Amino acid sequence: QRFAAIAGDMGVKPAQLALAWILRRPEITSAIIGASKKSQVVENAGAAGVDIPQDILEKLDELFPGPGETYPLG
């Protein structure tokens, strides 16, 4: 619910925000999307143009901490 609210406040779909955020994480090398309709492909592609302000990035990092932030990598 918090994530959807953040996306709504930014004026984007939750899927767009999720993709935009994940594409900006340095530990992520690729993102796989699933789409069964042309409209979904277009929506997902729109994530590349989503600008996420620093304060929103910090909120998202709090909601979804990376692996190194929750347990040590071996």
Side-chain angles (χ1 to χ4, degrees), residues 2-46:
R2 287 176 49 195
F3 184 82
I6 292 169
D9 290 346
M10 289 182 61
V12 299
K13 304 274 186 175
Q16 288 177 312
L17 179 57
L19 283 169
W21 176 69
I22 211 75
L23 290 171
R24 285 158 178 78
R25 294 194 57 101
E27 69 273 17
I28 304 294
T29 57
S30 65
I32 300 171
I33 61 168
S36 58
K37 300 176 187 174
K38 180 181 176 181
S39 62
Q40 293 170 326
V41 173
V42 171
E43 182 178 303
N44 287 335

Side-chain angles (χ1 to χ4, degrees), residues 27 66-74:
E27 69 273 17
E69 299 166 30
T70 57
Y71 59 89
L73 296 175

